[in-house]
Amino acid sequence: MLRNGKCVATITAFAATINGGDLVKPYVVQSVSTRDKTVAENTQPPVVRQVVSQETSQRVSKILESVVSEGTGKNAYVAGYRIGGKTGSSEPQEEGRTIVSFMGFAPADDPQIVILVLLDTPSSSTGIYISGGQMAAPTVGKMMADILPYLGVEPSYSEAE
C-alpha cells in the first residue's frame, strides 16, 4: 500500500508528466490571506529539474484525457471540463487484498489540480465491479465538479453536453 510519502512522490511524478515536464517541489499551502483577503504570502514552488520534454508531456496529457473521455476512467467525467487520469488496480502480497485507484487532473490543457484516490480492499457487496474506473474514478469526478468552479475554472460545454 502506498504510504503518505509514496503518495506524495507518486502525485509529484504524475504532475511532472502533465505540467510540461517539470518536477516541482510539492507544497501544501499555496497562499495565506489576511481577513480582508489580501495575500500575505504566496508559495512559488521551485522547479527541481525538467524530467520529460514538453512534447512528451503534451502527448501523455492527451492520452490521459482519452482515458476519461473514452476509456476506463469515464466515470470521472464532468460535463464542461477536460479531465485526464489513470485507473489502477493492484494485488499486494497479502492474500485477498486489492487496492484500486484513480489519479485525475484538470483542466487537461492547463493542469491546476491533481487528485489521487486509493481504496484499500473495497467491498464487492454493493455489486460494483472492483476496479479503479468503477470505484475510485467517480469519487475524483465528484471532487472535480466541486473544486474546479471553486478555483474559478469556467466550464466550456460541447454541443453534445
Side-chain angles (χ1 to χ4, degrees), residues 86-90 99-103 116-119 131-133 136-137:
K86 180 67 183 98
T87 60
S89 299
S90 67
I99 297 173
V100 298
S101 62
F102 184 79
M103 185 156 0
L116 170 62
V117 170
L118 297 163
L119 303 173
S131 72

Side-chain angles (χ1 to χ4, degrees), residues 21-154:
D22 292 331
L23 181 65
V24 177
K25 184 176 178 181
Y27 61 96
V28 176
V29 177
Q30 182 176 0
S31 64
V32 177
S33 301
T34 61
R35 287 181 189 219
D36 67 354
K37 303 205 190 261
T38 303
V39 176
E41 291 180 45
N42 195 27
T43 302
Q44 294 298 326
V47 174
V48 177
R49 67 183 177 278
Q50 186 164 10
V51 293
V52 297
S53 70
Q54 180 84 26
E55 179 184 334
T56 297
S57 177
Q58 289 173 347
R59 290 180 70 200
V60 169
S61 292
K62 285 181 183 177
I63 291 167
L64 294 173
E65 186 177 4
S66 72
V67 169
V68 174
S69 64
E70 55 195 68
T72 57
K74 63 182 173 272
N75 288 321
Y77 170 81
V78 178
Y81 293 104
R82 292 177 54 196
I83 297 172
K86 180 67 183 98
T87 60
S89 299
S90 67
E91 294 180 4
Q93 293 177 345
E94 296 88 358
E95 182 79 21
R97 206 167 143 222
T98 302
I99 297 173
V100 298
S101 62
F102 184 79
M103 185 156 0
F105 68 99
D109 58 340
D110 181 24
Q112 295 182 32
I113 185 166
V114 174
I115 300 172
L116 170 62
V117 170
L118 297 163
L119 303 173
D120 191 341
T121 315
S123 172
S124 61
S125 65
T126 61
I128 297 173
Y129 178 71
I130 296 178
S131 72
Q134 293 296 312
M135 298 182 132
T139 302
V140 171
K142 288 175 188 171
M143 293 171 73
M144 291 288 190
D146 289 337
I147 294 169
L148 291 169
Y150 177 80
L151 292 176
V153 178
E154 295 291 326

